[in-house]
Amino acid sequence: MAKLCIIFMLCSLVIFTAAVQPAAGLEKGPEAVEKWFKKLPQAKEKVTKLHFYFHDTITGKNSSSFTVAQSNITLTSPTFFGIVSVADDPLTIGPESDSKIVGRAQGVYLAASLEDIALTMTLNFVFTDGKYNGSTLSVLGHNPILHKYREMPIVGGSGVFRLARGIATAQTVWYNRISNNAVVEYTVMVLHY
């Protein structure tokens, strides 16, 4: 039985390793990054447009966002000031919950305004499918969630998005006031090498 478990674990590791390929054949590791940087002066900057849907599920059997802290005034604050949540939200091609998953939004968001319902977002868009598989984009910004459109800066990335910078535009397409679950459409314009 022990041999069977070891064989199963090794087969699982091989399958997992094959599924998690480096972004577009991009080499990783300190030497590979140094080599990439040496070629940077000759590299041409590219613009990439991405479009996906962010599914923030706070309640239900498939919750992907959880409150981990709150201040002593959170429950009486009209802006939920001080609430801190950690998310691992799916990113999908379409707004439907069963749409194909292309990545995850992993990070922290918190209510940091005493005057407006707004979040400070610190997220990584971790791409797990297609030509961006294994690459990430980092978002750090102000998200006034009741506005129709919100812009947040892309402050970096990895894989094919090394040294990325750009703008993520968010628009809520569905929100449930009882569950607080939401689907948000993201259009991302990013400059990278």
Side-chain angles (χ1 to χ4, degrees):
M1 183 66 168
K3 287 182 183 179
L4 185 59
C5 287
I6 291 171
I7 290 171
F8 176 75
M9 287 174 44
L10 288 174
C11 288
S12 297
L13 181 61
V14 168
I15 291 168
F16 175 76
T17 304
V20 182
Q21 294 296 320
L26 193 64
E27 291 183 51
K28 296 192 178 191
E31 293 85 11
V33 171
E34 182 178 356
K35 183 178 172 184
W36 182 85
F37 263 94
K38 286 180 180 178
K39 293 179 181 177
L40 195 57
Q42 293 82 31
K44 186 176 183 215
E45 202 166 41
K46 301 175 222 167
V47 176
T48 298
K49 179 181 178 181
L50 302 165
H51 182 259
F52 49 81
Y53 293 84
F54 170 106
H55 296 259
D56 193 37
T57 307
I58 295 171
T59 59
K61 66 178 182 168
N62 295 318
S63 296
S64 57
S65 178
F66 300 90
T67 299
V68 295
Q70 63 186 34
S71 73
N72 59 354
I73 67 162
T74 297
L75 298 178
T76 59
S77 167
T79 65
F80 307 102
F81 182 82
I83 197 164
V84 180
S85 296
V86 176
D88 184 11
D89 293 333
L91 303 175
T92 64
I93 291 175
E96 303 82 13
S97 60
D98 61 349
S99 185
K100 181 179 179 181
I101 295 175
V102 294
R104 310 290 297 185
Q106 298 173 333
V108 177
Y109 57 88
L110 55 110
S113 175
L114 289 167
E115 297 176 0
D116 298 313
I117 297 179
L119 302 173
T120 297
M121 309 286 285
T122 305
L123 292 174
N124 289 306
F125 294 142
V126 180
F127 298 100
T128 59
D129 189 65
K131 64 181 176 180
Y132 305 120
N133 183 20
S135 297
T136 66
L137 288 171
S138 298
V139 177
L140 174 62
H142 177 70
N143 184 357
I145 61 175
L146 298 181
H147 293 194
K148 181 174 181 178
Y149 296 107
R150 289 95 66 194
E151 285 187 7
M152 289 162 277
I154 300 294
V155 296
S158 67
V160 298
F161 296 122
R162 287 177 180 164
L163 296 180
R165 62 196 187 286
I167 298 290
T169 305
Q171 177 182 12
T172 303
V173 294
W174 179 83
Y175 173 71
N176 183 305
R177 290 184 187 270
I178 295 169
S179 68
N180 286 323
N181 295 340
V183 176
V184 181
E185 181 179 20
Y186 273 86
T187 302
V188 178
M189 297 299 296
V190 63
L191 291 164
H192 61 99
Y193 292 94

